[in-house]
Amino acid sequence: MSEPPNSDSEFYQLALTKMTRVLGAERARRLIGEVLADLGIELSTADDLALFAAALTKLGGFEGAVGAMLSVSAVMKGASVRVPSAALG
Amino acid sequence: MALAHDLIDRYPPNASDPAGIPAVVRTGVTELVHDISDDLLVTLAHDPEHLRIIRGLSLRSYIIVPLTAKGIVLGTLTLVQAESGRRYSQDDVPFAEEFARLAAIAVDNARLFENESEARARAEASEQSFRTFVDNLPELAWMALPDGYIDFYNRRWYAFTGTTLEEMQGWGWEKVHDPAYLPQVTERWKHSIATGEPFEMEFPLIGANGEPRWFLTRVNPLRGASGTIERWFGTNTDITDIRSARALAEEMALQSEEAAAQLLELRAQKDRAERRVAELEARIKTEP
């Protein structure tokens, strides 16, 4: 699987690291690629991370729990908005 | 012959009879009666009807030889002369005893074969019922020969890995292992096979969908009555969710610490800002 654009950014690496620890490397890489493709974004900013985290939270289970953690990380990293997962429809 | 069977049914031998089959079974010694006298028939008869019947058989002479194998009397061989008028003598005994010896060996072999067949059938039924039990376990499970050659996997194994016995038997299981962990798994499994020690290890297995899941694998030797290993029995318990939960808890604890540190820093910044504002307000008030 090819790496998504901007995969060396601080926010991409933060998401990948936390997801890998909880979900395993294979599942983390596949999931991060799918969610970013669905959202049509790259993880370039803290706001991108907040959006990505909300989409992940919506999945529920362990993926959702990691998403909730990443939404806190996004705020701590300076996200200007908090995106409720329900807002993603 | 039919009359003889009928006689035995109606007048079964009494274990305490002083002569005849019961006495030979008891003593293991051949009994030769050269001339069957009417007195002997009277002695052996159970009642007048019995006596009437055996008198009607016109018995003249008999030899009863024990069928002995490994020191145990299995039964007797009875040779009887009636209508022919011929009588047995001591000269006939060696032949009868040799014949009985060969017959006893044949009977003993047949009994051994029957016992062994029954034992094998019981063992096969027991193995089949164990396999049925293992086949229905919710865990992945398998069995191996003493040298580690795996010859049975349960249904859950095939469902998870999407493989067949032909692909997996022997050491084919290596195909569903993560190459990063395989050398260590193989080394420890070979160590258990060599020493007979149980095996326990956590490692990932690749599922039919290509994704790995983590399993706690335990393998124990099944020993026979003599203590030698007859089989190995292994289970693979899916612990992926347990590992995820453990990792999640660790991540949450780490993030809580980071968040707490960041909150403390923000509060310190706020306190510093408030103190600065208070100083500025005080200066404004005191300045003319």
Side-chain angles (χ1 to χ4, degrees):
Chain A
M1 181 187 284
S2 61
E3 293 292 327
N6 217 8
S7 61
D8 55 353
S9 78
E10 171 195 358
F11 302 102
Y12 183 94
Q13 289 303 320
L14 175 69
L16 183 62
T17 301
K18 286 193 184 297
M19 289 172 71
T20 297
R21 281 184 193 149
V22 177
L23 306 173
E26 292 278 338
R27 206 159 142 205
R29 281 189 186 281
R30 182 176 54 76
L31 195 58
I32 202 167
E34 287 173 3
V35 173
L36 287 178
D38 280 353
L39 293 172
I41 61 169
E42 298 172 9
L43 286 179
S44 305
T45 66
D47 284 345
D48 292 336
L49 183 60
L51 192 59
F52 173 80
L56 210 54
T57 304
K58 207 171 158 44
L59 296 177
F62 288 115
E63 289 86 350
V66 181
M69 272 198 320
L70 285 173
S71 67
V72 175
S73 298
V75 172
M76 287 165 66
K77 293 285 179 185
S80 56
V81 288
R82 183 179 167 274
V83 184
S85 60
L88 294 175
Chain B
M1 185 65 79
L3 184 58
H5 279 291
D6 185 43
L7 255 182
I8 291 173
D9 287 342
R10 287 177 65 183
Y11 300 101
N14 188 332
S16 60
D17 283 351
I21 293 171
V24 173
V25 169
R26 256 195 338 268
T27 62
V29 177
T30 298
E31 183 177 307
L32 164 67
V33 174
H34 175 71
D35 189 12
I36 299 175
S37 65
D38 194 63
D39 287 348
L40 178 61
L41 294 182
V42 170
T43 305
L44 295 175
H46 291 199
D47 57 35
E49 172 64 6
H50 189 202
L51 179 62
R52 189 187 65 75
I53 295 171
I54 57 178
R55 274 177 175 158
L57 291 173
S58 304
L59 303 175
R60 296 284 178 266
S61 176
Y62 71 75
I63 301 177
I64 303 175
V65 192
L67 296 174
T68 308
K70 301 185 186 96
I72 297 169
V73 179
L74 305 174
T76 62
L77 172 69
T78 305
L79 305 173
V80 178
Q81 292 289 354
E83 294 90 346
S84 71
R86 184 176 175 267
R87 286 173 169 73
Y88 289 115
S89 68
Q90 195 59 45
D91 292 344
D92 295 312
V93 170
F95 170 78
E97 287 183 337
E98 177 61 12
F99 187 71
R101 190 183 66 80
L102 296 174
I105 290 171
V107 169
D108 192 43
N109 284 344
R111 282 161 49 106
L112 284 175
F113 179 75
E114 190 180 346
N115 289 345
E116 192 183 325
S117 298
E118 284 173 3
R120 196 183 305 125
R122 276 198 302 273
E124 282 171 3
S126 169
E127 166 103 3
Q128 188 53 46
S129 113
F130 183 60
R131 284 189 181 214
T132 304
F133 167 73
V134 173
D135 221 14
N136 288 289
L137 283 175
E139 298 169 307
L140 279 58
W142 45 270
M143 287 190 282
L145 300 175
D147 64 359
Y149 185 98
I150 298 179
D151 62 350
F152 173 82
Y153 292 91
N154 72 348
R155 280 198 293 236
R156 281 286 299 128
W157 174 278
Y158 294 123
F160 174 72
T161 60
T163 58
T164 62
L165 177 61
E166 287 68 36
E167 293 171 272
M168 290 290 102
Q169 65 187 347
W171 293 75
W173 50 266
E174 293 182 348
K175 293 174 197 155
V176 295
H177 274 249
D178 185 327
Y181 297 90
L182 182 58
Q184 199 187 349
V185 174
T186 306
E187 184 189 332
R188 289 184 50 183
W189 176 219
K190 284 182 176 172
H191 173 77
S192 285
I193 293 167
T195 61
E197 290 173 11
F199 174 101
E200 181 171 322
M201 191 175 172
E202 291 182 12
F203 52 77
L205 293 173
I206 314 294
N209 60 2
E211 281 198 16
R213 289 187 71 81
W214 278 82
F215 289 87
L216 167 62
T217 296
R218 288 189 172 124
V219 192
N220 282 294
L222 303 178
R223 296 179 186 274
S226 63
T228 55
I229 294 173
E230 293 183 346
R231 305 280 278 164
W232 290 92
F233 176 58
T235 55
N236 309 94
T237 306
D238 192 330
I239 55 166
T240 308
D241 288 349
I242 294 172
R243 286 174 64 94
S244 289
R246 201 188 301 150
L248 185 63
E250 288 168 3
E251 281 296 313
M252 289 175 82
L254 196 62
Q255 190 174 57
S256 295
E257 282 179 21
E258 288 171 3
Q262 199 163 335
L263 281 172
L264 284 173
E265 175 57 27
L266 285 171
R267 196 162 72 191
Q269 285 177 11
K270 175 175 165 281
D271 289 347
R272 283 196 297 273
E274 283 175 349
R275 278 199 300 275
R276 182 68 180 145
V277 168
E279 282 170 13
L280 288 173
E281 282 176 347
R283 194 183 299 169
I284 289 168
K285 281 181 187 167
T286 56
E287 282 179 1

